[in-house]
Amino acid sequence: MRAWLAGLGLLLAATGIHAETKQQIYDRAQTAFDRFDWPVASAGFAQLLPAPPAPLKGASAVIAARLAEAELKQDQYEAARGHATRAVAGLADNPEERAQALITLGNASRLDLMMPEAIAAFSEAAKIGNTLPATRAAALIGLAQSASVYAPDTAAAALATLVADPKLMAGWSNERRAQVEALQGRAELNRGDFRAANRFFDAAVRDSGSLTSNKVSMVQVALRGDAAIASQMLGYDESARKYLAFSGAGHVNWDNISRGNLQPPVCGQPDDGPDAIQPDDTAVVEFSIGPDGEVTNAMTIFASRPGPMGIGFARAVRDWSWRPSAVAKLNPFWRALVRMQLRCITRPAPESIYDGFQRETRKWFDEQGLTTAEFHKLWNGDSSPLDANLAGTDARAIAALMGRNDDTKLNAADRARLDKALDATNAPANVRALILFNVLQAHEIGTRSSAGAAASRLAAALPGFAARWPNSEGTPWLRLSYARALESAGDFNAAQTQLEMVLATPVTYLPEASLIRSVATVHLAALHKRAGDTVAAMRLVTDAGLSAEQCALFDLQPVSTAGGGGTSDFPEEALSWGFDGYVLLAYDIGADGRTTGVRAVVAYPPFIFDAAATKVVKRLRYLPPVLDGSATGCNGARRSISFKSG
């Protein structure tokens, strides 16, 4: 340390800066670093560095390495990579510090899902660390973590080197040794040798405390989840469910979590090359959900084939998010390590009517002076019930009140405050329409009973809105939403009346090209065809100029007429273990109204409920859209199914 401080003093003297002042900055930063106060440490170390592209040497390079490590602890991966790269370049004469900087660079790259860069950094660190057992061991473990899915042969070789040298693991605890065994299992799992993987995972579970401990750590949760995957691949269903039961899988409350923004990756095209995600590919991704609802530490644990494909799934999960108010209802321990099975979707989610109203609403809040961060914090429920914003009459009050509109409707007092704030801000009709849609939970039409309840809420609210804003797009949209709820509830005659009223809206207020008009036309044509009036159905879509391509471009919300799940669809084994689950399925609708190409694209826990959910969706029947003069198939439909054991 004395040599390091002397070097720092020489550096400061050379730059002509008062040494005592800079020394104080360094001391404050290093003290913060030792206390794990990463923001203060980062700010201090950053003050001591010359701006790039000035090269770093000696003490300044070590400071850059410390800064990179502090940034890594704050999930600032890009900044950490930049400073670690500068540090590595300036530490050629200091092998120990250079190896540590390479490990920081490797971890920042790995956590940012840049696996080739991570593998290169850890490989170089392992070579430098030949005479430093602890450094070499850390580099080999980092190399195995980075390569287990991307290049599992490389991971297996790194771990073989680690366990072959007694000095590298001397004095390690059983739990730490179990983590190495689990990494060996992951490498074999992704190499396709499931039996070898199973042996490693069994050993890891045993060395970490078996399944008998009253207390469980995150390490044990991960190990048991790994063992479950290997058992599932081998067809050892009972063993897999046992491991999952002791990992906490199936015990996350999906009443709240299933409402997140869960967008699977889009499948690649045949000419995208072998690294693109294909429909037959699957992966298990592990991640944490922070209190702000954002995903952190997304990492692919298993992929059906090695290479970049598996990492693509983790990149998709990294963009997921949930409402903070929903996350607050989850057990913090279990949301710190969630695993899901994923497949890709064959096409992106089509444009929906809601998307357009949402963009218009967000623009209005921008005009009211809310920053993006402030808007999302309030709208997503990240505010206390005592928040001063709730009592206001400005746009912040509106966003804060909507943040309370979570899994229950706003109470009468909140509704009154919301109406007062909307009037005080002179909120546009379309903004009010989106807010009313959310307050009424008009999207909750997944079952006949929930659709009937949504229809009742819309029936009560629609006349007042239509009377006040008869010439807005919001009125026909809410009317269309009412018709959709009636359809899902099985009241097709009442739905037809509402659809006809939508189409009667003057084009001055609802243009011919409006998505609202197109969706209403398709639904009314389907109802005509259902009633046997094919001529009327064909005339509607022909006059509107609609074609079969509309199904791919827009969310036409086809009408479900039959099917659904029941208690008999709950897997008996999962029921006996008390698992809950969630599955998001993607499928197409044929011209005969039957579902085709049903695929589970998101499943929790992995491999447990996807088969049962697929059977449920295969039984669904729809009124197919009438386009190009006849009933036509519709691609890209989605449906989520929740399984609750109690």
Side-chain angles (χ1 to χ4, degrees):
M1 178 61 74
R2 289 180 181 175
W4 149 242
L5 292 176
L8 177 62
L10 290 173
L11 168 69
L12 300 176
T15 58
I17 301 173
H18 193 279
E20 185 178 7
T21 301
K22 286 294 183 179
Q23 185 68 56
Q24 289 173 344
I25 294 173
Y26 167 76
D27 289 342
R28 184 168 60 253
Q30 186 61 46
T31 299
F33 188 92
D34 294 338
R35 291 200 311 259
F36 313 124
D37 187 348
W38 309 120
V40 172
S42 295
F45 289 141
Q47 287 182 266
L48 299 170
L49 291 180
L56 304 180
K57 292 184 179 180
S60 62
V62 175
I63 290 175
R66 298 286 190 277
L67 174 56
E69 190 171 348
E71 290 167 333
L72 176 63
K73 298 295 186 180
Q74 300 170 79
D75 300 333
Q76 298 171 2
Y77 304 135
E78 184 176 359
R81 289 199 311 274
H83 288 118
T85 299
R86 292 184 74 192
V88 168
L91 290 168
D93 298 330
N94 190 336
E96 183 174 358
E97 289 287 355
R98 189 166 189 268
Q100 290 296 334
L102 282 164
I103 289 173
T104 299
L105 176 59
N107 279 318
S109 299
R110 176 178 66 86
L111 292 171
D112 209 15
L113 304 177
M114 301 176 66
M115 297 311 175
E117 293 83 352
I119 290 170
F122 284 123
S123 297
E124 187 175 351
K127 294 175 184 176
I128 295 174
N130 272 329
T131 59
L132 305 166
T135 300
R136 182 165 168 76
L140 290 170
I141 288 175
L143 177 56
Q145 290 174 322
S146 304
S148 62
V149 171
Y150 191 91
D153 289 344
T154 299
L159 293 166
T161 300
L162 176 66
V163 299
D165 188 342
K167 299 190 300 294
L168 298 181
M169 297 174 62
W172 283 21
S173 66
N174 283 343
E175 184 173 84
R176 196 173 179 191
R177 290 177 181 274
Q179 290 177 271
V180 173
E181 291 165 337
L183 281 174
Q184 289 176 296
R186 286 188 191 179
E188 298 303 329
L189 189 67
N190 286 288
R191 293 170 87 183
D193 191 342
F194 302 135
R195 294 189 183 280
N198 196 52
R199 289 193 295 271
F200 280 121
F201 290 141
D202 281 347
V205 170
R206 181 186 64 247
D207 289 342
S208 69
S210 190
L211 300 177
T212 59
S213 174
N214 291 328
K215 294 183 178 180
V216 63
S217 67
M218 279 298 164
V219 171
Q220 290 171 316
V221 169
L223 294 180
R224 295 167 184 181
D226 289 344
I229 297 174
S231 294
Q232 286 160 332
M233 294 299 102
L234 289 168
Y236 301 162
D237 293 341
E238 186 62 20
S239 177
R241 289 177 174 85
K242 177 183 68 175
Y243 281 128
L244 283 173
F246 284 97
S247 73
H251 298 293
V252 174
N253 184 350
W254 283 99
D255 281 348
N256 298 309
I257 212 66
S258 63
R259 300 185 183 192
N261 173 32
L262 311 184
Q263 292 294 333
V266 179
C267 302
Q269 299 301 313
D271 57 355
D272 287 343
D275 292 340
I277 301 174
Q278 299 301 326
D280 291 338
D281 292 329
T282 188
V284 175
V285 177
E286 175 184 285
F287 58 95
S288 302
I289 305 173
D292 60 355
E294 299 296 320
V295 164
T296 60
N297 303 323
M299 195 65 59
T300 303
I301 300 301
F302 165 72
S304 52
R305 57 187 175 92
M309 175 276 294
I311 309 305
F313 284 102
R315 289 197 179 100
V317 171
R318 192 166 54 180
D319 294 332
W320 291 2
S321 62
W322 288 264
R323 292 174 65 98
S325 55
V327 172
K329 299 175 183 178
L330 300 176
N331 186 310
F333 183 85
W334 297 122
R335 67 172 166 80
L337 197 152
V338 181
R339 288 186 175 185
M340 290 195 191
Q341 174 194 357
L342 283 85
R343 291 187 178 89
C344 61
I345 52 176
T346 55
R347 64 183 66 223
E351 176 78 4
S352 72
I353 298 172
Y354 187 92
D355 293 337
F357 279 84
Q358 189 175 48
R359 285 193 296 270
E360 189 171 344
T361 299
R362 184 66 192 92
K363 180 181 178 182
W364 180 77
F365 275 102
D366 282 341
E367 294 168 351
Q368 299 302 304
L370 268 73
T371 65
T372 299
E374 186 178 15
F375 170 79
H376 284 298
K377 180 177 181 180
L378 294 171
W379 188 276
N380 289 329
D382 189 11
S383 59
S384 164
L386 300 178
D387 193 316
N389 287 309
L390 292 170
T393 56
D394 59 1
R396 287 173 177 78
I398 296 170
L401 285 163
M402 290 306 297
R404 300 186 69 174
N405 185 54
D406 189 7
D407 55 348
T408 58
K409 296 185 293 296
L410 292 178
N411 60 36
D414 285 339
R415 284 288 300 273
R417 281 195 288 267
L418 180 60
D419 290 339
K420 184 177 180 180
L422 288 168
D423 288 339
T425 55
N426 196 27
N430 286 357
V431 171
R432 293 171 182 261
L434 180 124
I435 287 173
L436 183 59
F437 182 94
N438 285 320
V439 168
L440 298 177
Q441 298 180 354
H443 61 286
E444 296 286 352
I445 57 174
T447 65
R448 181 159 291 200
S449 60
S450 64
S456 296
R457 294 192 294 269
L458 283 159
L462 183 56
F465 189 96
R468 189 171 179 183
W469 293 283
N471 300 326
S472 73
E473 281 189 313
T475 294
W477 176 44
L478 292 173
R479 196 174 298 284
L480 174 60
S481 301
Y482 180 30
R484 285 281 295 113
L486 290 168
E487 288 173 337
S488 296
D491 192 346
F492 297 112
N493 290 333
Q496 180 172 332
T497 299
Q498 295 301 317
L499 292 169
E500 289 169 346
M501 292 177 69
V502 172
L503 295 181
T505 305
V507 294
T508 307
Y509 311 117
L510 190 67
E512 293 286 359
S514 167
L515 181 54
I516 297 170
R517 190 178 290 277
S518 296
V519 173
T521 299
V522 169
H523 278 253
L524 184 56
L527 293 183
H528 280 317
K529 188 172 186 303
R530 177 182 179 275
D533 193 348
T534 303
V535 173
M538 292 174 62
R539 183 171 58 249
L540 267 174
V541 295
T542 300
D543 290 348
L546 298 179
S547 65
E549 285 73 22
Q550 302 293 116
C551 267
L553 297 176
F554 305 120
D555 180 8
L556 296 182
Q557 304 170 333
V559 183
S560 175
T561 60
T567 56
S568 62
D569 294 301
F570 206 113
E572 290 185 8
E573 298 87 349
L575 187 62
S576 66
W577 283 103
F579 286 160
D580 289 348
Y582 168 84
V583 183
L584 175 65
L585 301 107
Y587 53 97
D588 300 330
I589 300 170
D592 59 357
R594 296 176 180 271
T595 57
T596 62
V598 181
R599 300 166 59 251
V601 293
V602 177
Y604 169 87
F607 304 107
I608 297 296
F609 292 102
D610 49 335
T614 298
K615 290 180 181 178
V616 171
V617 171
K618 283 184 175 180
R619 293 200 300 266
L620 294 176
R621 297 294 180 266
Y622 287 87
L623 290 179
V626 178
L627 298 169
D628 286 342
S630 61
T632 186
C634 209
N635 298 330
R638 297 190 208 178
R639 188 184 184 97
S640 62
I641 297 177
S642 295
F643 293 84
K644 298 187 68 175
S645 59

